[in-house]
Amino acid sequence: MSPVFPMLTVLSMFYYMCLRRRARTATRGEMNSRRAIESNTRALPINVEIIQYAKEVLDFSSHYGSENSMSYTMWNLAGIPNVYPSSGDFTQTAVFRTYGTWWDHCPSARLPFKRTPPTFCSQDYVELAFEEPVYPTAVHILETYHPGAVVRILACSANPYSQNPPAEVRWEILWSEAPTKVNGPQARQFTPCIKQINFPTNLIRLEVNSSLLDYYTELDAVVLHGVKERPVLSLKTSMIDMNDIDEDEDEEKYGCGMDTLNKQFSIVTLREWPTNGYFDKLPYELIQLILSHLTVPDLCRLAQTCKLLYQHCCDPLQYIHLSLQPYWARINDTSLEYLQSRCTLIQWLNLSWTGNRGAISVSGFSRFLKVCGSELVRLELSCGHFLNEACLEVITEMCPNLQELNLSSCDKIPPPAFNHIAKVGSLKRLILYRTKVEQTALLSILNFCSELQHLSLGSCVMIEDYDLIASMMGAKCKKLRSLDLWRCKNITESGIAELASGCQLLEELDLGWCPTLQSSTGCFTNLARKLPNLQKLFLTANRSVCDTDIEELAANCTHLRQLDILGTRMVSPASLRKLLESCKDLSLLDVSFCSQIDNRVVLELNANFPNVFIKKSFTQ
């Protein structure tokens, strides 16, 4: 046979796969339509394209701004652009809470969960509602400062304005890509090539990863383009990505994510094999070690191959650490039910972002913890809007060994519910960022949870007297190593003095945007003298920080690694040189909007201290 024929066979198979892929994007009737075959147009029928800006911001995981203002908040994403096409740092944009890898290199950093799929890299999200449900044809994201953070765009089948919620809520990925480094901080309109979906949507979700950025990314607006009628693609198509084909083949074979995980875990009838090959010769522990590198869906698939591997894949030792956050769109009560028997020994559990819009019920969550909560040490529930007082009560009753609890952005939990946390005396880490915890409940928690080492109270706006809270910390939380008081509105030098005197093991302190602290009272000098172990200190937007404070830090806090003094008018280049010479481990210094530190000074400092990232932001 001529060598040409095998090549022709390969080419014919490739075109077959392309056509098969294209066929699956349309219904049978559409593909059989004579007009769809004969037309030279790209889409039929011709629809008038609807262009709309976001009407409302429904949900988000974090933002730089305050809960009581519009500056740097996610709410700025609603409506028409405020800044674009201008570039720079503007308060009218949406800004997430973190950037870069600095937060991974401080005392409060948490260990990552293993088995996280390499395709999941999202750190934050925001969900936007639009007026009209459409079949998306394009999504434009107007980025005005340090672009490149968006890594996923998703569409939801649920209409947030409908009076009749759907029986099933579907999320479809329109576009996804690993984080990329964008050259330069200038504004841009980001318009990725999105996938066509088979349902109309007016709910779009952006997921971001800011780890490669040199500063906070700023988003101005999101524009959704779409048509009311579902487009019918013609056979004159653009080039098809082979990776897309492979992914689709995989979905066809194994199903879509956690939907089929439920079915796969429930399979009990397995093939009988006379032998398990070389697996029969391997020690049980070695097989367990090999399987520990698989993701949860891969474990589900492998469990279907034979009884031996089913036994290994269902062994509770495979689920000591379990993160379901990468599969947030698929997790529901049924998922938790199927996982119960496998999670009896679980110690770390991540349910962040899961369960919203009715996917997880209070009863389903409670049933799971009653079976699987006895060994839990770490529980991540960030943005879990299904949580209520009954859930917190179950956590405190069923998880006696709990040491870490993350309730970040769980803003639907009613204030009285936080009283239950005081029953968990073993807590070492508690994250209450953007929650409605009140003063009485927090005082009770601090009184009974004396083992606390890491505490986050950032943007907790319902606490009336932070001086009283700081006094209680100083008296009861002697082991505290990190404390986040970001945007605490009423702490004074009195509270800082109590805190510094009682919590002398502190290594990390965030006092960013605390307007009631004034350097003239000696509060920052007192901190520097009482807390020699400080590695991270954020005094963001405190315009009173002066040379004396910087010099005290240089003299007393020689282990300092990160310092943010954004916005101060009183710090000179000379004091910064002393700091950099004294603090040999310093890696981050934010002097944005410091009026005495111009670009010339920054260039000079960068040249003399190349190991320090010195950030100087700007506005055009």
Side-chain angles (χ1 to χ4, degrees), residues 6 23 296 406 478:
V296 176
N406 180 4
K478 302 292 186 180

Side-chain angles (χ1 to χ4, degrees), residues 49-54 130-140 174 194 201-204 222-226:
E49 189 172 55
I50 297 173
I51 302 174
Q52 49 187 332
Y53 292 95
F130 295 80
E131 183 71 37
E132 294 288 336
V134 294
Y135 291 90
T137 56
V139 176
H140 302 313
L174 298 179
I194 64 173
T201 183
N202 62 339
L203 175 51
I204 297 293
V222 177
V223 192
L224 175 62
H225 291 235

Side-chain angles (χ1 to χ4, degrees), residues 60-91:
F60 55 90
S61 55
S62 77
H63 59 183
Y64 186 89
S66 165
E67 301 302 294
N68 299 321
S69 78
M70 290 295 291
S71 297
Y72 296 123
T73 63
M74 286 298 119
W75 299 303
N76 285 319
L77 277 175
I80 62 174
N82 298 308
V83 173
Y84 186 84
S86 298
S87 298
D89 190 337
F90 290 90
T91 61

Side-chain angles (χ1 to χ4, degrees), residues 105-327:
H105 300 96
C106 56
S108 64
R110 289 165 285 171
L111 292 173
F113 277 79
K114 297 178 180 179
R115 280 187 164 145
T116 300
T119 54
F120 181 80
C121 55
S122 304
Q123 298 174 333
D124 275 297
Y125 73 85
V126 58
E127 292 180 1
L128 306 168
F130 295 80
E131 183 71 37
E132 294 288 336
V134 294
Y135 291 90
T137 56
V139 176
H140 302 313
I141 303 169
L142 307 184
E143 302 171 284
T144 54
Y145 199 37
H146 288 278
V150 178
V151 292
R152 281 214 300 186
I153 304 173
L154 301 97
C156 186
S157 62
N159 183 343
Y161 302 121
S162 173
Q163 299 297 323
N164 302 311
E168 179 188 12
V169 176
R170 291 175 53 200
W171 285 93
E172 195 76 40
I173 298 174
L174 298 179
W175 172 86
S176 178
E177 193 173 281
T180 55
K181 180 82 171 180
V182 176
N183 294 325
Q186 287 76 24
R188 72 170 185 178
Q189 177 179 288
F190 179 51
T191 308
C193 182
I194 64 173
K195 184 177 76 172
Q196 182 181 316
I197 58 175
N198 60 5
F199 58 81
T201 183
N202 62 339
L203 175 51
I204 297 293
R205 174 177 171 126
L206 308 182
E207 294 185 357
V208 304
N209 181 314
S210 303
S211 62
L212 298 182
L213 301 186
D214 292 333
Y215 206 58
Y216 298 96
T217 190
E218 298 191 8
L219 309 179
D220 192 15
V222 177
V223 192
L224 175 62
H225 291 235
V227 292
K228 296 294 287 184
E229 300 295 330
R230 182 180 174 188
V232 182
L233 293 178
S234 74
L235 292 182
K236 284 197 171 183
T237 62
S238 57
M239 186 174 292
I240 297 175
D241 189 347
M242 285 301 294
N243 293 328
D244 196 21
I245 293 173
D246 292 340
E247 184 180 310
D248 231 41
E249 295 291 338
D250 208 43
E251 285 186 6
E252 186 178 82
K253 184 174 181 181
Y254 295 116
C256 185
M258 297 301 289
D259 284 343
T260 50
L261 181 148
N262 299 336
K263 300 174 185 175
Q264 290 162 356
F265 263 142
S266 64
I267 292 172
V268 293
T269 305
L270 296 166
R271 254 182 239 179
E272 292 285 353
W273 296 97
T275 175
N276 294 306
Y278 287 105
F279 281 104
D280 283 331
K281 300 179 180 180
L282 294 178
Y284 192 92
E285 294 80 5
L286 182 56
I287 298 177
Q288 286 285 292
L289 179 61
I290 294 171
L291 299 191
S292 69
H293 296 280
L294 297 180
T295 63
V296 176
D298 288 338
L299 275 180
C300 301
R301 295 162 183 167
L302 189 62
Q304 299 176 79
T305 56
C306 66
K307 284 188 175 180
L308 175 66
L309 291 179
Y310 180 85
Q311 179 184 358
H312 279 281
C313 292
C314 297
D315 191 320
L317 291 174
Q318 288 291 336
Y319 302 87
I320 298 295
H321 295 176
L322 177 62
S323 176
L324 296 177
Q325 183 180 5
Y327 320 106

Side-chain angles (χ1 to χ4, degrees), residues 110 113 322 346-352 354 365 368-369 372-373 375-382 386-387 391-392 394-396 398-399 401-408 410 424 427 429-431:
R110 289 165 285 171
F113 277 79
L322 177 62
I346 192 169
Q347 296 177 9
W348 289 13
L349 175 61
N350 186 0
L351 286 174
S352 294
T354 66
F365 177 77
F368 183 81
L369 279 195
C372 309
E375 301 297 324
L376 265 182
V377 174
R378 176 179 174 184
L379 183 56
E380 305 279 341
L381 294 169
S382 173
F386 66 91
L387 295 170
C391 293
L392 290 196
V394 168
I395 290 171
T396 57
M398 296 295 116
C399 307
N401 299 307
L402 196 62
Q403 296 180 13
E404 300 187 22
L405 179 60
N406 180 4
L407 298 175
S408 171
C410 293
V424 190
L427 273 182
R429 184 189 302 272
L430 179 60
I431 302 176

Side-chain angles (χ1 to χ4, degrees), residues 38-54:
E38 294 178 350
S39 174
N40 287 327
T41 57
R42 295 190 62 184
L44 288 175
I46 298 175
N47 289 321
V48 176
E49 189 172 55
I50 297 173
I51 302 174
Q52 49 187 332
Y53 292 95

